[in-house]
Amino acid sequence: MRRTIFYVSDGTGITAETIGHSVLTQFESVEFETFRIPFVDSEDKARAAAVRIKTAYAQGGMRPIVVNTIMDQRFSDVVAESGALMLDVFAPFIGPLEAELGTQRSARVGKAHGLTDFNEYEARINATNYALTHDDGIDVNYSDADVILVGVSRVGKTPTCLYMALHYGVKAANYPLTEEDLERLEIPKRLLPHRSRLYGLSIDAKRLAQVREARRPGSRYARIEQCQHELDLADKLFRRENIPVQNTTHTSIEEIASKILSQLGIEKHLF
């Protein structure tokens, strides 16, 4: 089965797409073709969106599904004229919250992803710069780090650091374990003062070999035997030094980051 999904918003559409994607993953037997229609903040744009959705309905023969975060009900009603199944993300929450809080919502567009707090935004930028300058041991001044990810090359340290920086304002550094580090089976001296902030990442050898092969085809670095050897030594090091570790093979960056923050007790909220 194949269905068409439209994420329609008067802002960026990021909220609609994020929530919609989370829900759609529960339906594994259905294949979804998704489209985002952002910045539907006028009647003309709403009508254009409705035409696009109605056209998809006519071409595909099955009713499209709209995940909607438009704040202005007038524009939502226009989009609904497309005949699609309308799923309003905010509707189940607004009424009960207004009743509980004793106040009406202020229907401002783009609050979730807008620049509403300069200090928070600056914290994210600073954290991102920190992650970039402390990537793969480029800078070894870890005194300001909230977390230091350790692991062999290509286990996902860099993207995880950048995700935590961009979305949580976490200052995350990473250190690649070299063959020399692994053979010694000791925490590198430069990391010892920051032992409590270390967190290990691992991965299945077959997947690591695939990733490395794409980077350096035909190299010893990418051979599965080499990958397995490095991973085995890293696992021994993590166990010996009691460093928390997570296997990233079948885990999204979002979940990896969430588990790291939870296990290390880092209290940061999602921006």
Side-chain angles (χ1 to χ4, degrees):
M1 186 187 301
R2 184 181 180 87
R3 298 296 294 269
T4 302
I5 309 294
F6 287 93
Y7 301 116
V8 183
S9 175
D10 46 17
T12 62
I14 294 173
T15 298
E17 189 169 9
T18 300
I19 295 174
H21 176 72
S22 297
V23 175
L24 295 179
T25 57
Q26 307 302 309
F27 299 90
E28 295 182 355
S29 62
V30 183
E31 183 180 351
F32 296 105
E33 184 175 17
T34 63
F35 301 93
R36 177 149 50 108
I37 307 179
F39 307 114
V40 181
D41 53 7
S42 70
E43 186 172 337
D44 287 343
K45 291 179 181 179
R47 293 202 179 281
V51 168
R52 181 177 174 185
I53 296 165
K54 191 180 294 186
T55 300
Y57 196 169
Q59 293 176 341
M62 298 192 75
R63 180 163 67 149
I65 298 167
V66 170
V67 180
N68 175 44
T69 56
I70 296 176
M71 301 298 291
D72 193 313
Q73 189 60 47
R74 296 171 301 167
F75 304 154
S76 289
D77 291 342
V78 171
V79 174
E81 294 174 7
S82 65
L85 171 64
M86 297 289 291
L87 301 177
D88 191 325
V89 171
F90 299 135
F93 305 98
I94 297 297
L97 278 171
E98 287 180 338
E100 179 68 22
L101 300 174
T103 185
Q104 299 291 305
R105 70 174 180 174
S106 55
R108 265 184 56 197
V109 176
K111 276 189 174 182
H113 299 284
L115 181 55
T116 58
D117 188 318
F118 180 78
N119 289 330
E120 287 186 345
Y121 182 75
E122 188 174 31
R124 291 166 62 190
I125 295 301
N126 289 338
T128 302
N129 287 332
Y130 185 89
L132 290 171
T133 57
H134 291 75
D135 181 44
D136 275 354
I138 294 174
D139 192 320
V140 295
N141 179 19
Y142 299 122
S143 57
D144 292 330
D146 294 311
V147 58
I148 305 166
L149 300 186
V150 292
V152 302
S153 174
R154 312 308 292 178
V155 293
K157 300 185 298 299
T158 297
T160 303
C161 284
L162 287 173
Y163 177 83
M164 289 192 291
L166 283 167
H167 293 276
Y168 291 94
V170 168
K171 289 186 176 179
N174 77 76
Y175 180 89
L177 293 170
T178 65
E179 287 194 60
E180 185 179 353
D181 293 327
L182 294 170
E183 294 296 341
R184 284 201 305 264
L185 280 181
E186 295 178 351
I187 296 176
K189 290 182 179 179
R190 66 185 64 175
L191 298 180
L192 281 175
H194 318 288
R195 185 188 185 113
S196 63
R197 285 170 281 170
L198 299 182
Y199 193 98
L201 293 185
S202 187
I203 195 172
D204 289 353
K206 184 176 180 181
R207 176 58 182 154
L208 180 60
Q210 291 172 341
V211 173
R212 288 183 172 185
E213 180 66 22
R215 186 176 177 85
R216 297 184 193 171
S219 65
R220 171 178 172 271
Y221 167 79
R223 290 178 190 166
I224 192 166
E225 297 84 4
Q226 177 65 21
C227 294
Q228 189 65 67
H229 175 65
E230 291 181 28
L231 289 167
D232 287 344
L233 290 177
D235 185 57
K236 288 180 181 178
L237 174 61
F238 296 147
R239 289 201 311 269
R240 176 176 174 177
E241 300 292 344
N242 200 29
I243 297 172
V245 61
Q246 183 180 163
N247 189 298
T248 66
T249 309
H250 303 294
T251 309
S252 68
I253 289 177
E254 294 87 347
E255 187 175 351
I256 295 168
S258 181
K259 287 180 177 178
I260 291 171
L261 298 181
S262 176
Q263 287 184 257
L264 294 184
I266 299 174
E267 296 290 341
K268 297 279 187 175
H269 64 84
L270 184 67
F271 290 112

